[in-house]
Amino acid sequence: TGLMSSECLGNLLRIRLSAEYFEDKYLTFSVVDQSGVAWELDEAMASQCGYSINYSSWSNIEFRASALSCHSHLEKDVFTVTIQIKSSRTPDMKNIRTHLKSASCPYGLCSTRELLCESNYMEVSVRREVPQTVKDFVQDEPEDWTFAFPEAKAQGASVWQIVFHQPEEKKALLVSDAWSAGYGLNTTDTRVLLRIPHTAASIQLVKAQGITFSAVRSSTFYKQQWMILMVDTSVACPIDGVDYTNKTIIWTVPKYIQLLSTATTSFKDVLVEVGVDLHKLSAKEMASRKYVLLNDSNAITVKIPIGAEGGYYKTSVSNGQHGTKYTINLFLEHQWEDNKWGLTKHTIIKEIETPFEQVELVIMNNSNLSARLMNVTVGMFLPDVELVNLTIEGATVAIPKAVQHGYQTYEVKYNNGSKAYVIQVPFEAPTIKKQYMKVDMRAYTLNVTLAFITHPTSDTFSVPVIAMSVVKDAVLPSARGFCDGRNLHLIITRGNVDQNWLPFISDWNLTPEAAQKYNYSLRDNGTHLAISVPFLSSHLNYEVFHASGITASLHLTLKDSNTSANRKDFSISCRFSPSALIQCLPNGTVVITAVKVVGVADLDTSLLVLRDRQCKPSLVTEKTATFKFNVNTCGTSRKFNSTTMTYENDVLYFRPGNDTPVYQLKFACLYAIKQTVDVQYESKKNPPPSIKPGFGSLGLSMKLFKEKSYSEPYQKLEYPVVKYLREALYFEVELLQPKDERLELNLDDCWATNSQSQDGLPQWPIVINGCENSKDSYRTVFHEVDYSLRVKFPQHLKRFEVMMFTFVQGTTLLQE
């Protein structure tokens, strides 16, 4: 059929398969005998019976058969071979297609002895006659031959026998035993043939002029009428002899091999020819290809430039690296005459493969920015390479399914037989990494690993591909801000580059949990980020006071969550009325909050004082200090005019050892001297108050604080807390639920125990009926609770101070 072509090459038949049809299929080969029975070939049968299957340039497949192969039919000097090929697209060989091919070639053997060195076997064919006695013949090892005669005499007239001569022993096998051992035998009316697989046990390695040969020394015996006939069926084939120098293949074959020239006294060259793919080359053809053939008295040398016409490159993989090897299928035919055999023809088929040479692949980024498409070309590859899968973010995806991930792959073929692969992915694919670069630039990065397989060797290698395209399409976040009477508000409109940017105030990450802790508002709907911060906050900056007010600034930075790099800064500044810092109560109580201003970096708010330096703040944070006092104390001065009475004081900060303040905040409270207030009064008899018992659940907590300011409680990981005797302990009891301003928390009894159980003994009362224990040497001190950012309902909290003590019995310290 058109799928296969045949060719006669001396006493070999070659059948070539169509690469275009068979290259992607699984195949089995069988030979069909004269009875129509198909014998499926494996490696052992092929080498025993004279068949070879070879994969040549890239996907080409060829089948070769010897003229006297096991199943060939010889008639009138013509031999015929029939093969059957089954092909399938799956390795389980389902849905097979069967192809038959029969071919005939002329059979002619003129030489007394013919030696063939094939890729998987050696073959010797000898004319079936008794050689003439040579004058002055000296046999090298006469005992080898006489050893076989008694055994040959003992067999029947038609039984053949083979004797293998090895250094350690001589082994005789009947034909049936030789066949079982893997040897091939055949005979015609005029010739005897012995075929030896390269894996046979009788093979010896011998040296000739430094070249290693695979050799077998054997004799074949049979009876014919009253005669015992012996045929020397020794054979030798070169294993090595190939060198690579200066980009040139040098193949050397010695002319004289002792095993093949036993008892020979004269030697004459008849013919030396070289060919490629079993085709002989003329001197002109060799010169055009820059081949060199040297024939001296001892050896034949062939020189082939690596890469020359006649050979081909194939893909090779070494330690996972992609490379190539140059391969050429040479054959050498050497004919000579000697005084023992007459004419001998030695045909050597030699596939030569150069060492691995790594080949760097080129990755070209041809991305289409206007179409927003990553377009990467990887190459160049030889035709024997196939892309089989992609690794995308650690997941392996077969090529047919890659399109589901947004990856399109294309194979591009070129006129010289090479090819490349194109990978296309949209910029918007989830696996394309997007990274903000600068100004309005974004980088799109493709990171994928391509896995390849070579045919027919099934070697694998991978190529990592990282390609980046920079596009001018970045949209940065923008912001607008405003203030009301009590808060600063910042609303950020998201861009397309800040999905992984986090809001920071200074080095403090503004998370929802952190915002809740400081009573900030943080809302993020994916397109907008809204932040609200109260005017009195430890994360604001305050500038110099003016009569018109104080300027508060909020500075917010968006940072990259991966690199922590600052990406975008926003700020808002607002001027607040001085009344936001001071309260002048009708009963003469003044509450003023002083803030730490920019320019006094080392200011410690806990060291702020009033004119009377004994008047210290009742509540301190990092940025604020709150004072609560009466207008008649703390050095407050008073002025009168006809309508008002003005009380003035200063909040001051002194550095140690300096009586000149570095910080001064002046404030005043004005009270009207004369003021008329109309009060409407109506007498009404109200029922006496009554309290009705009720039932419900209350949420209570008791915390231990580090300082009298009650600003920082001990955390769980800080327990147990270690204190010295008589060192102050600051407790706070808070009503958590319900949040009802009509409720007030009162403490009745509090006590300490020597264990974690509230009923443990001994016990010592700290609070009795809402009062301190009069029997205590260091009585409990209650602290007033004022309104603050943290305290919305002062009536829901009670604070008291207890000196550290321990339980003793007599003079003995009690421990749990």
Side-chain angles (χ1 to χ4, degrees):
T1 66
L3 302 180
M4 291 177 277
S5 61
S6 62
E7 186 178 12
C8 299
L9 301 163
N11 289 316
L12 288 173
L13 165 67
R14 175 164 62 192
I15 297 176
R16 278 182 167 162
L17 279 62
S18 168
E20 183 178 355
Y21 179 80
F22 288 103
E23 66 177 348
D24 59 346
K25 295 179 176 63
Y26 296 87
L27 307 177
T28 63
F29 288 81
S30 300
V31 287
V32 182
D33 62 17
Q34 297 179 55
S35 302
V37 177
W39 299 81
E40 185 173 338
L41 290 179
D42 56 19
E43 292 183 7
M45 178 180 288
S47 59
Q48 182 178 29
C49 286
Y51 308 114
S52 65
I53 300 170
N54 300 279
Y55 293 83
S56 58
S57 54
W58 301 322
S59 297
N60 293 326
I61 305 171
E62 67 176 44
F63 169 88
R64 293 200 295 264
S66 172
L68 296 182
S69 57
C70 294
H71 309 92
S72 62
H73 175 55
L74 182 62
E75 184 176 3
K76 295 182 180 180
D77 295 331
V78 174
F79 71 94
T80 303
V81 176
T82 302
I83 66 170
Q84 174 185 275
I85 299 175
K86 293 180 180 180
S87 64
S88 173
R89 294 190 179 275
T90 58
D92 56 9
M93 298 303 291
K94 291 184 178 179
N95 301 317
I96 63 171
R97 295 193 64 181
T98 302
H99 312 272
L100 280 175
K101 177 68 176 179
S102 183
S104 300
C105 290
Y107 172 67
L109 290 174
C110 301
S111 306
T112 307
R113 178 175 60 169
E114 294 210 357
L115 308 169
L116 173 65
C117 299
E118 248 285 13
S119 59
N120 57 335
Y121 64 86
M122 302 184 291
E123 188 177 274
V124 53
S125 172
V126 181
R127 187 174 297 164
R128 187 173 169 179
E129 63 183 14
V130 180
Q132 296 295 320
T133 301
V134 180
K135 185 178 181 181
D136 300 326
F137 169 74
V138 178
Q139 195 161 309
D140 60 338
E141 296 181 57
E143 69 278 3
D144 290 350
W145 307 109
T146 56
F147 166 81
F149 278 89
E151 298 185 31
K153 291 177 181 178
Q155 305 302 324
S158 61
V159 177
W160 288 64
Q161 188 180 50
I162 304 172
V163 176
F164 294 100
H165 306 269
Q166 295 177 306
E168 67 278 2
E169 63 176 345
K170 303 172 185 63
K171 187 174 183 180
L173 295 178
L174 298 178
V175 169
S176 58
D177 295 330
W179 184 264
S180 298
Y183 298 97
L185 300 99
N186 207 340
T187 181
T188 67
D189 293 339
T190 60
R191 303 194 75 86
V192 174
L193 179 140
L194 173 64
R195 189 175 300 111
I196 304 164
H198 286 314
T199 57
S202 59
I203 286 180
Q204 304 173 53
L205 298 181
V206 298
K207 290 278 188 178
Q209 300 179 35
I211 307 300
T212 304
F213 280 77
S214 175
V216 172
R217 183 183 181 190
S218 63
S219 302
T220 301
F221 296 87
Y222 63 96
K223 274 187 171 184
Q224 183 169 338
Q225 297 179 355
W226 50 270
M227 294 184 297
I228 298 175
L229 300 180
M230 178 188 74
V231 179
D232 184 354
T233 49
S234 298
V235 62
C237 292
I239 295 177
D240 50 26
V242 179
D243 291 317
Y244 310 95
T245 305
N246 297 326
K247 296 291 184 178
T248 302
I249 299 170
I250 302 174
W251 181 29
T252 303
V253 180
K255 284 185 176 181
Y256 306 109
I257 301 104
Q258 177 65 30
L259 185 69
L260 303 180
S261 306
T262 302
T264 299
T265 58
S266 62
F267 188 95
K268 176 185 176 183
D269 271 347
V270 175
L271 178 70
V272 175
E273 289 185 312
V274 173
V276 175
D277 289 332
L278 297 179
H279 286 288
K280 296 179 181 180
L281 296 177
S282 66
K284 182 178 180 180
E285 289 174 318
M286 292 183 63
S288 68
R289 299 184 183 190
K290 298 183 179 180
Y291 293 4
V292 175
L293 173 63
L294 302 177
N295 181 17
D296 60 28
S297 59
N298 295 315
I300 301 168
T301 302
V302 181
K303 296 183 179 181
I304 308 290
I306 294 177
E309 179 187 352
Y312 62 94
Y313 283 98
K314 64 180 180 181
T315 303
S316 181
V317 180
S318 176
N319 297 322
Q321 298 298 312
H322 166 266
T324 60
K325 293 181 178 180
Y326 174 76
T327 301
I328 187 167
N329 293 304
L330 294 175
F331 88 95
L332 171 67
E333 182 178 311
H334 180 206
Q335 296 185 27
W336 71 86
E337 288 182 344
D338 60 49
N339 61 328
K340 175 183 177 182
W341 288 98
L343 184 63
T344 295
K345 183 169 76 171
H346 195 182
T347 302
I348 304 170
I349 300 173
K350 182 75 170 179
E351 181 182 74
I352 297 178
E353 183 179 271
T354 61
F356 172 85
E357 183 174 353
Q358 185 171 347
V359 175
E360 295 293 334
L361 296 170
V362 177
I363 300 174
M364 294 181 291
N365 186 353
N366 304 310
S367 295
N368 189 333
L369 303 186
S370 60
R372 298 185 63 78
L373 187 69
M374 298 291 292
N375 188 311
V376 178
T377 302
V378 183
M380 295 294 184
F381 297 103
L382 295 175
D384 55 356
V385 170
E386 179 187 3
L387 176 63
V388 290
N389 61 55
L390 308 176
T391 300
I392 308 169
E393 293 186 334
T396 301
V397 180
I399 292 301
K401 295 185 178 180
V403 67
Q404 301 174 11
H405 298 262
Y407 286 69
Q408 295 280 358
T409 61
Y410 303 96
E411 183 180 275
V412 181
K413 294 185 178 180
Y414 299 95
N415 293 334
N416 63 357
S418 63
K419 63 182 178 180
Y421 284 93
V422 177
I423 312 297
Q424 292 183 347
V425 194
F427 283 172
E428 284 69 31
T431 54
I432 296 296
K433 181 182 177 183
K434 305 166 187 65
Q435 183 179 8
Y436 172 64
M437 301 294 287
K438 59 181 180 179
V439 192
D440 55 356
M441 309 297 288
R442 275 200 300 178
Y444 294 83
T445 303
L446 168 67
N447 190 339
V448 62
T449 299
L450 282 57
F452 297 90
I453 190 170
T454 64
H455 297 292
T457 57
S458 297
D459 293 329
T460 60
F461 65 95
S462 60
V463 179
V465 174
I466 300 177
M468 176 187 292
S469 296
V470 178
V471 184
K472 191 176 182 179
D473 67 350
V475 178
L476 294 176
S478 58
R480 63 184 179 90
F482 63 93
C483 299
D484 54 25
R486 314 185 79 176
N487 299 280
L488 293 85
H489 304 277
L490 193 62
I491 300 175
I492 299 173
T493 302
R494 295 282 194 184
N496 61 6
V497 297
D498 55 325
Q499 293 81 4
N500 297 318
W501 295 2
L502 302 177
F504 278 77
I505 301 176
S506 296
D507 291 327
W508 177 66
N509 185 9
L510 185 59
T511 64
E513 295 77 16
Q516 184 179 14
K517 176 181 177 182
Y518 288 94
N519 199 29
Y520 297 173
S521 173
L522 179 67
R523 301 180 302 278
D524 190 351
N525 65 2
T527 60
H528 293 81
L529 176 67
I531 301 165
S532 299
V533 178
F535 163 61
L536 293 177
S537 167
S538 59
H539 295 99
L540 297 183
N541 292 327
Y542 301 94
E543 298 178 11
V544 179
F545 296 95
H546 298 278
S548 59
I550 179 173
T551 301
S553 300
L554 170 65
H555 299 279
L556 184 136
T557 301
L558 294 180
K559 293 188 177 186
D560 192 310
S561 61
N562 297 320
T563 64
S564 297
N566 291 353
R567 292 303 188 186
K568 187 72 174 176
D569 295 317
F570 300 104
S571 64
I572 178 175
S573 297
C574 295
R575 181 166 292 180
F576 289 86
S577 170
S579 62
L581 300 177
I582 187 169
Q583 290 178 280
C584 299
L585 302 179
N587 65 355
T589 300
V590 178
V591 179
I592 183 166
T593 301
V595 295
K596 182 178 180 178
V597 295
V598 175
V600 190
D602 60 345
L603 188 147
D604 184 349
T605 54
S606 67
L607 300 180
L608 290 170
V609 294
L610 298 178
R611 289 176 181 172
D612 182 350
R613 297 192 189 183
Q614 297 302 315
C615 294
K616 301 183 186 311
S618 59
L619 179 65
V620 174
T621 69
E622 182 184 353
K623 294 284 184 74
T624 66
T626 301
F627 295 85
K628 184 178 181 182
F629 60 98
N630 189 273
V631 294
N632 296 317
T633 62
C634 296
T636 306
S637 61
R638 181 173 55 185
K639 294 179 181 180
F640 294 92
N641 61 26
S642 59
T643 59
T644 59
M645 183 167 49
T646 303
Y647 293 89
E648 296 179 341
N649 207 327
D650 300 297
V651 178
L652 305 169
Y653 179 72
F654 300 91
R655 287 197 173 98
N658 194 331
D659 289 334
T660 302
V662 295
Y663 174 96
Q664 184 175 19
L665 171 64
K666 292 182 175 291
F667 63 91
C669 283
L670 280 68
Y671 292 91
I673 294 177
K674 293 180 180 182
Q675 185 175 11
T676 302
V677 178
D678 293 330
V679 178
Q680 183 177 358
Y681 175 77
E682 179 182 354
S683 177
K684 185 176 182 181
K685 188 176 182 179
N686 291 325
S690 64
I691 299 176
K692 294 182 180 181
F695 298 93
S697 60
L698 299 176
L700 296 171
S701 75
M702 184 168 70
K703 298 178 182 177
L704 176 61
F705 282 77
K706 297 181 178 181
E707 296 177 348
K708 189 177 180 179
S709 63
Y710 286 91
S711 60
E712 184 179 1
Y714 284 100
Q715 304 298 321
K716 288 183 179 181
L717 295 178
E718 296 180 273
Y719 286 92
V721 175
V722 178
K723 292 285 186 180
Y724 295 102
L725 288 175
R726 300 180 186 175
E727 190 175 353
L729 301 172
Y730 302 98
F731 290 95
E732 178 185 89
V733 182
E734 181 180 4
L735 173 63
L736 300 176
Q737 294 291 339
K739 300 286 188 182
D740 190 339
E741 63 181 2
R742 297 173 299 172
L743 297 178
E744 181 173 353
L745 174 66
N746 290 295
L747 300 183
D748 190 13
D749 295 306
C750 297
W751 65 95
T753 72
N754 196 33
S755 68
Q756 295 185 7
S757 172
Q758 64 179 6
D759 298 325
L761 295 175
Q763 295 182 356
W764 184 257
I766 296 172
V767 178
I768 302 174
N769 296 325
C771 300
E772 66 271 17
N773 183 0
S774 60
K775 297 180 181 180
D776 205 332
S777 302
Y778 299 93
R779 295 187 181 184
T780 301
V781 179
F782 292 93
H783 295 292
E784 187 176 351
V785 182
D786 296 317
Y787 175 85
S788 68
L789 294 175
R790 188 172 71 85
V791 179
K792 301 299 183 184
F793 304 110
Q795 65 271 29
H796 288 184
L797 284 86
K798 285 294 183 287
R799 292 172 176 168
F800 57 90
E801 175 183 335
V802 178
M803 293 297 181
M804 182 65 187
F805 65 91
T806 185
F807 289 96
V808 294
Q809 185 173 3
T811 59
T812 304
L813 178 67
L814 294 181
Q815 296 182 351
E816 185 181 4

